[in-house]
Amino acid sequence: MDSGRVAFLTVAAVALTLTAGGCGRQDPADAYRDKLTKAGFTSVTVHADEETTGSRKKRKKRIVAYDFDWVVNSDGDPATCTVELEHPGDSGKLRGRHWHIDEVNGQEVTGWGTNSPDPDTVRRLLQEHHFDC
C-alpha cells in the first residue's frame, strides 16, 4: 500500500474515533436522558430550554434547563396528562442534582418536591393534586 493511502486511512481512522468518542464528553441532554431512563421512564427525549439574554448588540443564548415531556395515565380512564420534567442547566452543563415536575398540561406547578421523582411518584403526585390523568 502506498504512503498516501496509509496517511489517508490513518486520518480517517482518527476522525472516526474522535467523532464516535466525542472526546470523552457526554452531552448534558444525554446525561439527563440516561438518568431518567435509569429511573424507569421510557421513550425519553430531552430538549435544551434556552433563554436569550443581553442587549441587542451582545445577545447570548444560555441553557437554563433540560426538559422532558412525559405523557402519563395515572388512573384507569383514557384521559392523559403531559408532565414536563425539568432539570436545571447552565451553558450546556447540568447544575444541581435533581429534576422536578415543572408543568402539567402546560400549567406551571410548584411545591411538588425536587428529589427526582420516578414514574410511580409522578402518578401519585398527579392524583394527590387532583389531575385527571
Side-chain angles (χ1 to χ4, degrees), residues 69-84 103-107 122-123 126-127 130-133:
D69 290 335
W70 187 50
V71 178
V72 60
N73 184 313
S74 63
D75 55 24
D77 67 23
T80 61
C81 291
T82 301
V83 175
E84 181 184 279
E103 295 179 356
V104 177
N105 294 334
Q107 175 187 347
V122 173
R123 289 183 188 97
L126 288 166
Q127 289 175 347
H130 309 291
F131 280 89
D132 180 25
C133 303

Side-chain angles (χ1 to χ4, degrees), residues 23-123:
C23 298
R25 295 183 58 174
Q26 184 178 22
D27 180 3
D30 291 340
Y32 179 36
R33 183 197 68 231
D34 292 347
K35 286 182 178 184
L36 286 163
T37 301
K38 286 177 186 173
F41 293 93
T42 58
S43 303
V44 178
T45 302
V46 175
H47 302 281
D49 185 1
E50 293 183 327
E51 197 175 81
T52 303
T53 59
S55 65
R56 286 176 82 186
K57 291 182 181 182
K58 291 188 176 185
R59 292 206 182 268
K60 184 177 179 180
K61 285 189 178 184
R62 182 174 83 110
I63 296 173
V64 295
Y66 293 92
D67 299 329
F68 164 55
D69 290 335
W70 187 50
V71 178
V72 60
N73 184 313
S74 63
D75 55 24
D77 67 23
T80 61
C81 291
T82 301
V83 175
E84 181 184 279
L85 294 165
E86 183 177 74
H87 194 292
D90 184 24
S91 301
K93 297 178 184 171
L94 291 174
R95 298 269 172 125
R97 295 182 8 208
H98 304 289
W99 60 83
H100 63 277
I101 299 170
D102 188 45
E103 295 179 356
V104 177
N105 294 334
Q107 175 187 347
E108 189 172 319
V109 297
T110 58
W112 288 28
T114 60
N115 293 326
S116 304
D118 60 22
D120 290 335
T121 302
V122 173
R123 289 183 188 97

